[in-house]
Amino acid sequence: MSQIIDKAEAGMNARQYHIGIAPGEVGTVALLPGDPFRVPLIAEFLTDVTDVAHNREHRTMTGYYKGKLITATSTGMGCPSTAIAVEELARVGVTSFIRVGSSAGLQPGVNPGDLLVSEGTLRNDGTTAAYAHHGFPAVPDLELTLALRTAALALPGAGTDYQVLSGLNASDDAFYAETPEWIAELNSLGILNVEMESSALYVVSRLRKLRAGMICACSSNLVDGTSLYDHDPAKLMDGWRNSIVAALDAAVALDL
Ligand SMILES: O=P(O)(O)O[C@H]1O[C@H](CO)[C@@H](O)[C@H]1O
Ligand SMILES: O=c1cc[nH]c(=O)[nH]1
């Protein structure tokens, strides 16, 4: 007799296998950096911080920002672990997700430290093919996206110290297989920036009726020859901090 497990239902309301979190340990909104070491950076903006769990690449801390309970969980790099993090966080009560990542500019004039608000993702990943037809759009929640842009534009350095840009981005699976031809194609399509997680974040969130958005800090530019990854880490660090504040302000503004 068949005893095939339905993973879409299995393990609901239990301590989750990969993130190591049980219901009641997190709030309803989560900020999602890729890097576990960026979770404590988010916690610097919170009060009453709790170290909740750290299993594999998924580190989680909670705390309060302007009276709101905020969760920060790292996704790791790429769509497979991001889909797992979103699925499992949803099972323990998170309903809104804001990715705060780093991303490479694909148009001239997108500079390290600029804030990039995502309007939609070109799905160049394998994970979401397992979830939905290749034509299914990877798009963020409209209200959350507008709130992220409003919050970013309201930051003190916006428009002077750095730009706030919005547009389409791509999610790639293979950092070192981004050929010059592929980068040129993305550039010619008008894609603003490239990262590696939002495709899974958006598709899984749509299918599970969750909210998702993304604000990235520009780490580098792949088309104007002005920056490599280790050029000016201070600018990227400022960008991360600014994107975190914008995400926190948007979460409070929408009471996510
Ligand atoms: O800095 P994070 O959020 O990890 O984002 C970007 O950095 C990693 C690649 O260097 C990928 O995960 C990419 O999406
Ligand atoms: O996919 C990515 C993400 C960040 N930077 C890149 O060059 N590629």
Side-chain angles (χ1 to χ4, degrees):
M1 181 156 143
S2 165
Q3 288 193 322
I4 296 170
I5 285 178
D6 181 355
K7 286 198 176 175
E9 297 295 331
M12 293 288 208
N13 306 314
R15 185 167 298 282
Q16 296 297 304
Y17 182 58
H18 300 92
I19 60 173
I21 301 170
E25 294 179 345
V26 292
T28 53
V29 57
L31 269 58
L32 305 178
D35 185 349
F37 290 97
R38 231 176 295 138
V39 173
L41 182 67
I42 295 171
E44 285 178 18
F45 296 91
L46 309 178
T47 57
D48 299 311
V49 170
T50 303
D51 237 312
V52 179
H54 192 170
N55 191 42
R56 294 178 178 252
E57 60 266 68
H58 304 299
R59 180 169 191 184
T60 297
M61 298 172 88
T62 58
Y64 289 84
Y65 182 77
K66 297 183 179 170
K68 177 149 200 68
L69 179 59
I70 302 286
T71 300
T73 300
S74 49
T75 59
M77 284 189 279
C79 284
S81 62
T82 300
I84 287 170
V86 172
E87 294 269 23
E88 294 191 359
L89 284 167
R91 289 162 187 221
V92 296
V94 178
T95 53
S96 297
F97 298 89
I98 306 175
R99 173 165 148 72
V100 283
S102 10
S103 188
L106 292 171
Q107 300 297 325
V110 181
N111 302 314
D114 286 350
L115 298 187
L116 310 173
V117 177
S118 166
E119 296 178 21
T121 298
L122 185 153
R123 290 171 52 199
N124 188 35
D125 71 288
T127 303
T128 60
Y131 277 92
H133 185 279
H134 64 80
F136 188 87
V139 282
D141 178 79
L142 175 62
E143 207 185 0
L144 176 50
T145 301
L146 293 172
L148 286 170
R149 185 171 160 78
T150 300
L153 287 168
L155 294 173
T160 51
D161 301 350
Y162 50 88
Q163 305 176 89
V164 176
L165 304 169
S166 57
L168 298 175
N169 57 274
S171 277
D172 282 346
D173 268 350
F175 187 94
Y176 286 111
E178 288 170 338
T179 60
E181 293 75 21
W182 175 240
I183 291 166
E185 186 175 341
L186 293 175
N187 166 271
S188 73
L189 292 170
I191 305 286
L192 184 64
N193 56 294
V194 59
E195 48 80 68
M196 297 176 65
E197 290 80 23
S198 62
S199 181
L201 170 64
Y202 295 161
V203 170
V204 174
S205 294
R206 283 283 160 173
L207 296 178
R208 305 289 184 239
K209 301 195 174 4
L210 307 161
R211 280 183 153 187
M214 176 169 80
I215 180 164
C216 285
C218 177
S219 56
S220 51
N221 189 303
L222 303 181
V223 300
D224 69 5
T226 56
S227 66
L228 291 173
Y229 288 95
D230 56 357
H231 249 205
D232 194 350
K235 287 215 164 141
L236 179 55
M237 180 61 88
D238 286 347
W240 282 334
R241 289 181 188 279
N242 291 326
S243 65
I244 290 164
V245 174
L248 292 170
D249 285 339
V252 168
L254 295 179
D255 195 17
L256 297 176

